[in-house]
Amino acid sequence: MYKCSLERMSDKIKTFSKFGDAGHGGITRYSLSPEAHMAREEFVRRMEAIGAKIECDDLACMFATIEGSDPDAKRIVMGSHCDSVKNGGNYDGIEGVMTAMEVLETVVAENIPHKHPLTAMIWTNEEGSLYPPAMMVSGIVCYDYLPDYLKPNFMYDKMMASKPMDKSEFANFGEALAATKFKGPKENRLSPDKYCAMFETHLEQGPILEDNGNEVGAVQLVMGMFNYRVKFHGFTAHAGTFPMAKRHDALHAAADFLCKLHERYDAMNAELVAQGDYEFVFTTGEIYVHPCIHTCIPDEAEFSLDVRHPKQEVLDKCMAVLQEMAAEEYQKCTCRVEEQWKRDPVPFDSRLIGFVEESMEEMGCKWQKILSGAGHDAQFCAYVIPTTMIFSRTKDGLSHCEPEHVSDEDCTTAATATLNAVLKCDASPEF
């Protein structure tokens, strides 16, 4: 059993938090921004210091590799992303990069024998905060292996034309990519002919580990989900002169629908939990009203609906309820639903999960099996090569905000679990 260094991990956390420091305890570090370039340069500096070979692909993904004893063995890769959301935290994404770096540093410092080349990786533009969508580059890299329904979302030309959502000197992602010094040849992309396994370490972004008194989690899968727009149509009239009984108020209809949907979904969840299954989570995070004038009755209203669960059959039941309700009338208004996007549940490789769980047991740390409700580059990578994830405990479950925090000790525990799982993978005849 090998251990990663708390001292080295603490130094990395302190150093990387400077790149994009927003002045309030967190960072804004858009992909391919000057701040992201500083983080990448630090990655290069530290990895070159241990003798790792640095490579970049045509999408500016970065790879730092130390060779193994078997010249014919494929690489085992670890990593995540270094970009953040606006006014985000110091751990989302970059913890996985720092973990990968720490694993390589530990292997070199302790001269740990290994047959596979070991690679630390930075994925480009996971957040999609400046150039949407999220997980853009992993979607491009893994495009040929994605389900057909996902492919239209990640077509290369479409992604290169993505326009910035905030201030940028570039008109689109393609221009930003062309300008970066971290762009390399396409043949350096992650692919199954060169890589045999992928590990991504990430903060949980939720409160489950903390609530259960656990330090780390062995991630079993990424939940499936669907995202819909629920739209209502009535007619507008003057707010002060039109009688209540004659109104077709679209916002009232949307509110009526949403309350009834919550009642139906809450009852379904209570039944699932009583059966010992996971509850599904559902969220309305966006709402639109027209004409959005205080003296006018709304004639149009719509809201988003995001539903997530690890089982497709549960998602199908949620969808059936949504479609059934949409066929009805609400406050004299018509209702229709439109799919925005969806993803199937993505299970991780059972062998890699086993290595992670064995490592956590041998470490004697407090751990549990856990699911991911959020999307990650690992979920696309799982279509290409065997992949899994490790979660670390998140303070108060907060993420994508400046209070986001993982203790130095918990980051080091997650790195140690990653290191030993990778070594088990390295020693396995299946890889």
Side-chain angles (χ1 to χ4, degrees):
M1 176 59 61
Y2 294 95
K3 291 186 178 180
C4 290
S5 166
L6 174 60
E7 182 179 2
R8 281 197 305 261
M9 182 60 78
S10 296
D11 180 63
K12 283 191 280 290
I13 293 169
K14 181 179 179 181
T15 300
F16 279 92
S17 68
K18 298 175 183 177
F19 308 134
D21 181 2
H24 314 97
I27 57 167
T28 296
R29 192 161 62 218
Y30 292 142
S31 190
L32 301 182
S33 67
E35 296 79 12
H37 279 71
M38 287 189 283
R40 286 165 173 263
E41 287 164 357
E42 182 69 10
F43 174 82
V44 171
R45 185 185 72 80
R46 290 178 182 253
M47 292 294 92
E48 286 185 337
I50 63 169
K53 177 184 178 181
I54 308 299
E55 299 169 302
C56 299
D57 68 15
D58 62 315
L59 296 161
C61 294
M62 300 184 69
F63 308 87
T65 303
I66 56 174
E67 294 302 323
S69 60
D70 184 352
D72 298 321
K74 295 181 180 182
R75 297 179 181 183
I76 299 173
V77 62
M78 301 151 280
S80 192
H81 58 97
C82 71
D83 58 312
S84 80
V85 297
K86 187 173 185 178
N87 298 120
N90 290 310
Y91 300 88
D92 187 347
I94 196 64
E95 183 192 352
V97 176
M98 294 188 295
T99 292
M101 295 167 66
E102 177 60 30
V103 168
L104 266 58
E105 289 165 343
T106 302
V107 168
V108 171
E110 301 194 25
N111 197 25
I112 300 173
H114 58 99
K115 65 179 183 180
H116 291 266
L118 304 180
T119 299
M121 179 182 181
I122 295 177
W123 287 97
T124 303
N125 200 26
E126 192 273 352
E127 295 292 359
S129 300
L130 183 59
Y131 302 102
M135 300 179 291
M136 174 199 281
V137 166
S138 57
I140 297 172
V141 170
C142 304
Y143 182 87
D144 289 343
Y145 302 87
L146 297 180
D148 288 342
Y149 72 85
L150 280 176
K151 288 182 177 179
N153 299 327
F154 297 99
M155 292 186 294
Y156 181 87
D157 289 345
K158 181 180 178 181
M159 297 300 94
M160 293 302 109
S162 175
K163 297 185 183 302
M165 302 292 288
D166 204 343
K167 294 180 181 178
S168 173
E169 61 181 303
F170 303 108
N172 54 47
F173 179 76
E175 286 191 9
L177 186 60
T180 180
K181 67 179 183 179
F182 296 107
K183 183 177 180 180
K186 186 175 181 179
E187 55 263 31
N188 286 344
R189 287 187 186 183
L190 182 147
S191 62
D193 62 314
K194 292 186 294 185
Y195 292 84
C196 65
M198 164 76 179
F199 293 80
E200 180 173 359
T201 301
H202 206 280
L203 78 162
E204 180 199 343
Q205 301 180 280
I208 294 172
L209 290 173
E210 186 178 63
D211 287 351
N212 291 335
N214 291 318
E215 302 160 272
V216 284
V219 186
Q220 310 294 301
L221 57 76
V222 176
M223 292 185 188
M225 67 169 294
F226 63 77
N227 189 294
Y228 268 68
R229 303 294 295 188
V230 186
K231 301 185 175 185
F232 301 85
H233 183 73
F235 65 82
T236 191
H238 195 287
T241 61
F242 208 79
M244 296 299 293
K246 296 177 68 66
R247 297 186 179 197
H248 294 200
D249 185 330
L251 181 57
H252 188 188
D256 187 18
F257 182 102
L258 191 56
C259 288
K260 290 175 179 176
L261 181 68
H262 269 255
E263 291 176 2
R264 295 280 298 272
Y265 277 2
D266 287 345
M268 291 171 63
N269 260 335
E271 187 175 335
L272 284 171
V273 172
Q275 295 170 353
D277 202 346
Y278 294 99
E279 69 174 5
F280 59 90
V281 292
F282 58 102
T283 306
T284 292
E286 293 178 300
I287 188 167
Y288 163 83
V289 180
H290 181 271
C292 204
I293 299 171
H294 78 277
T295 55
C296 290
I297 301 163
D299 62 347
E300 295 179 6
E302 64 180 76
F303 58 78
S304 63
L305 179 65
D306 181 304
V307 181
R308 308 188 187 207
H309 194 269
K311 294 181 180 178
Q312 188 60 50
E313 57 264 34
V314 173
L315 293 171
D316 291 342
K317 290 179 181 178
C318 292
M319 175 58 64
V321 168
L322 177 63
Q323 298 284 3
E324 175 189 329
M325 289 184 60
E328 301 173 9
E329 187 179 85
Y330 297 86
Q331 305 303 324
K332 304 177 185 177
C333 295
T334 58
C335 174
R336 60 188 174 92
V337 295
E338 293 182 359
E339 180 184 297
Q340 300 300 294
W341 62 287
K342 65 179 180 179
R343 70 168 184 242
D344 296 333
V346 180
F348 288 130
D349 187 86
S350 60
R351 298 164 298 176
L352 300 189
I353 293 171
F355 298 148
V356 170
E357 293 178 350
E358 289 171 18
S359 297
M360 292 176 176
E361 277 294 309
E362 292 168 4
M363 290 166 60
C365 63
K366 296 178 179 178
W367 71 278
Q368 68 176 82
K369 298 177 188 290
I370 195 167
L371 309 178
S372 176
H376 301 279
D377 292 317
Q379 81 184 58
F380 287 163
C381 192
Y383 289 110
V384 182
I385 59 174
T387 301
T388 197
M389 295 188 72
I390 294 170
F391 277 173
S392 59
R393 176 168 50 189
T394 305
K395 182 72 171 66
D396 298 326
L398 298 177
S399 182
H400 278 203
C401 58
E402 293 185 333
E404 173 187 284
H405 183 72
V406 181
S407 71
D408 292 9
E409 291 78 9
D410 283 355
C411 284
T412 307
T413 297
T416 296
T418 305
L419 166 63
N420 286 283
V422 165
L423 293 176
K424 289 179 183 294
C425 179
D426 177 70
S428 171
E430 294 187 66
F431 292 89

